[in-house]
């Protein structure tokens, strides 16, 4: 094979594998973007002084095993970032349900 042709084929191959790599990152980036939008929405919905409480809740939730979160929820306590540890009053919490589904 001629040298230039060979060089061209090599570059083409490299570009294709790079493209494949970039494409494989796409779902990951999309999920990050969704998460980002969700977090922004949540933090916008909160008054400034509650943000710290939510962050503290998040840290607490991370330290609790999933089974225990499920049990806590079944016993009638919030396991979501917004109201962690507080009794659920209205029967169900969409945030808790969403959180447990995602885990
Ligand atoms: Zn909740």
């Amino acid at each position: 094979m001629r040298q230039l042709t060979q060089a061209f084929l090599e570059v083409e191959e490299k570009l294709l594998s790079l493209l494949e790599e970039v494409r494989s990152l796409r779902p990951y980036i999309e999920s990050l973007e969704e998460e980002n939008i969700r977090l922004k929405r949540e933090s916008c919905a909160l008054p400034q002084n509650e943000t710290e409480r939510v962050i503290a809740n998040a840290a607490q939730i991370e330290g609790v095993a999933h089974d225990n979160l499920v049990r806590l929820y079944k016993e009638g306590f919030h396991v979501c970032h917004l109201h962690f540890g507080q009794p659920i009053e209205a029967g169900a919490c969409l945030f808790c349900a969403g959180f447990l589904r995602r885990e």
Side-chain angles (χ1 to χ4, degrees):
M1 203 181 290
R2 291 188 186 166
Q3 244 181 342
L4 272 178
T5 310
Q6 179 65 35
F8 176 81
L9 288 177
E10 277 172 20
V11 169
E12 189 181 34
E13 204 173 306
K14 274 184 195 154
L15 282 175
L16 285 175
S17 81
L18 194 62
L19 183 64
E20 208 172 303
E21 211 173 308
V22 169
R23 279 189 177 144
S24 74
L25 287 176
R26 198 169 141 176
Y28 178 65
I29 288 167
E30 280 174 355
S31 73
L32 280 181
E33 216 150 13
E34 271 171 33
E35 181 74 357
N36 196 19
I37 290 168
R38 194 184 60 77
L39 288 175
K40 264 190 199 156
R41 207 186 297 132
E42 272 180 21
S43 65
C44 283
L46 288 177
Q48 187 64 32
N49 61 346
E50 294 216 337
T51 305
E52 274 180 35
R53 187 177 57 81
V54 171
I55 290 170
N57 284 345
Q60 224 177 329
I61 290 166
E62 271 172 31
V64 181
H66 184 248
D67 288 354
N68 291 337
L69 290 178
V70 172
R71 192 164 48 218
L72 206 58
Y73 183 64
K74 282 183 179 157
E75 286 171 5
F77 295 96
H78 285 278
V79 295
C80 63
H81 291 41
L82 292 174
H83 312 290
F84 184 72
Q86 295 171 31
I88 298 176
E89 281 151 16
C93 170
L94 285 179
F95 293 109
C96 284
F99 175 71
L100 288 174
R101 236 193 342 263
R102 231 179 29 249
E103 283 293 286

